[in-house]
């Protein structure tokens, strides 16, 4: 099946620093790329997404970039805070439809 | 965003038994999705539940093991049948956002442990 690769699997940063999580996808038909944040005991929460006709999108401290040619997309979190600590998943839609293929997740720890 | 309620939030079950998980949404949606998240792993789509027709299952998942009901546009159930310890996972219901079908929202999940 089509895969979404996500790196790193774990990331530890100091409060105030930036965090970057990178993903690659293989399905050429993918045109929608969401990012989810999952806290312990909760379901994934959509935090930002990007469509293939856009190269970058920003929402306050988080931003996502997409390189469709290289099939790369990244999540950038600036001025990290302890409450940003969670598992982050990237995803890409399959066959331009609703079903999502997820990356394996990045466990982000922001230390005070 | 839709409000998605899942029941139960967690359960501990004996092998060989079955558990039915309920998903209730506060608005009508055409499609509902069931995902599985094995311990420390990513999310895997089990099936798409469509109202008025049979669910569509992904490769590796079969109706006999994971029967799904979709009696109306706001409700669905997923049953995990004849459970084994390998079925221990978080099971998540997901629905698309109104007017933006690509955006998927997830319920809080059902944490299932099979002994």
């Amino acid at each position: 099946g089509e895969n979404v690769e996500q790196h790193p699997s774990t990331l530890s940063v100091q409060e105030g620093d930036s965090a970057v999580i990178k993903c690659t996808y293989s399905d050429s038909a993918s045109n929608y790329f969401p990012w989810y944040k999952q806290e312990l005991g909760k379901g994934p929460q959509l935090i930002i997404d990007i469509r293939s006709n856009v190269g970058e999108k920003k929402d306050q401290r988080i931003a996502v970039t997409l390189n469709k040619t290289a099939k790369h997309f990244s999540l950038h979190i600036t001025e990290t805070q302890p409450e940003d600590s969670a598992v982050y998943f990237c995803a890409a839609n399959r066959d331009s439809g609703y079903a999502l293929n997820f990356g394996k997740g990045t466990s982000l720890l922001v230390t005070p | 965003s839709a409000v998605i309620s899942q029941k139960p939030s967690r359960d501990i079950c004996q092998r060989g038994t079955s558990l039915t998980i309920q998903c209730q949404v506060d608005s009508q949606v055409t499609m509902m999705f069931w995902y599985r998240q094995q311990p420390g792993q990513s999310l895997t789509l089990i099936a798409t539940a469509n109202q008025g027709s049979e669910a569509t299952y992904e490769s590796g998942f079969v109706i006999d093991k994971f029967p799904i009901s979709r009696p109306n546009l706001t409700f669905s159930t997923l049953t995990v049948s004849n459970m084994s310890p390998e079925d221990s996972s978080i099971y998540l219901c997901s629905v698309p956002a109104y007017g933006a079908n690509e955006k998927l929202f997830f319920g809080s999940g059902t944490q299932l442990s099979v002994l």
Side-chain angles (χ1 to χ4, degrees), chain B residues 6-115:
Chain B
Q6 264 188 253
K7 292 181 181 179
S9 58
R10 60 178 63 241
D11 208 342
I12 301 173
C13 301
Q14 296 296 320
R15 68 172 66 209
T17 63
S18 298
L19 176 71
T20 295
I21 302 167
Q22 299 180 2
C23 180
Q24 179 76 52
V25 188
D26 68 340
S27 57
Q28 295 185 337
V29 292
T30 53
M31 304 175 81
M32 296 176 78
F33 304 93
W34 287 99
Y35 281 82
R36 180 176 74 181
Q37 186 176 23
Q38 293 176 303
Q41 300 297 315
S42 187
L43 289 80
T44 302
L45 180 63
I46 298 172
T48 303
N50 303 300
Q51 198 273 332
S53 63
E54 285 209 354
T56 304
Y57 289 82
E58 297 298 305
S59 175
F61 298 96
V62 295
I63 188 170
D64 289 347
K65 176 67 175 177
F66 298 101
I68 287 172
S69 77
R70 184 80 199 275
N72 56 54
L73 291 174
T74 63
F75 187 79
S76 177
T77 67
L78 170 76
T79 298
V80 186
S81 303
N82 188 25
M83 288 183 285
S84 67
E86 293 71 37
D87 295 319
S88 298
S89 295
I90 300 173
Y91 292 86
L92 294 149
C93 171
S94 174
V95 301
Y98 176 77
N101 281 339
E102 291 165 326
K103 294 182 186 287
L104 285 187
F105 295 104
F106 285 84
S108 55
T110 296
Q111 173 80 62
L112 171 62
S113 297
V114 184
L115 304 178

Side-chain angles (χ1 to χ4, degrees), chain A residues 85-97:
Chain A
S85 297
V87 179
Y88 291 81
F89 292 96
C90 64
N93 66 338
R94 237 175 12 191
D95 301 325
S96 304

Side-chain angles (χ1 to χ4, degrees), chain A residues 6-108:
Chain A
Q6 182 171 348
H7 299 280
S9 56
T10 61
L11 179 60
S12 181
V13 300
Q14 289 234 305
E15 182 177 2
D17 289 348
S18 296
V20 180
I21 303 170
K22 299 183 178 182
C23 289
T24 60
Y25 64 97
S26 58
D27 184 355
S28 299
S30 295
N31 60 5
Y32 174 68
F33 308 91
W35 286 87
Y36 288 86
K37 175 184 180 182
Q38 187 175 29
E39 297 173 315
L40 196 62
K42 298 184 178 180
Q45 176 192 3
L46 179 66
I47 57 171
I48 195 167
D49 55 10
I50 191 168
R51 299 197 67 190
S52 59
N53 58 349
V54 176
E56 184 173 356
K57 184 177 178 180
K58 189 173 181 180
D59 183 4
Q60 298 182 343
R61 295 187 297 109
I62 59 174
V64 57
T65 59
L66 171 65
N67 183 330
K68 192 164 173 61
T69 302
K71 297 195 178 85
H72 291 172
F73 59 113
S74 301
L75 177 71
H76 304 252
I77 306 174
T78 59
E79 300 172 32
T80 54
Q81 302 166 3
E83 49 265 39
D84 293 329
S85 297
V87 179
Y88 291 81
F89 292 96
C90 64
N93 66 338
R94 237 175 12 191
D95 301 325
S96 304
Y98 305 128
L100 295 176
N101 288 328
F102 283 83
K104 291 188 180 295
T106 296
S107 179
L108 173 65

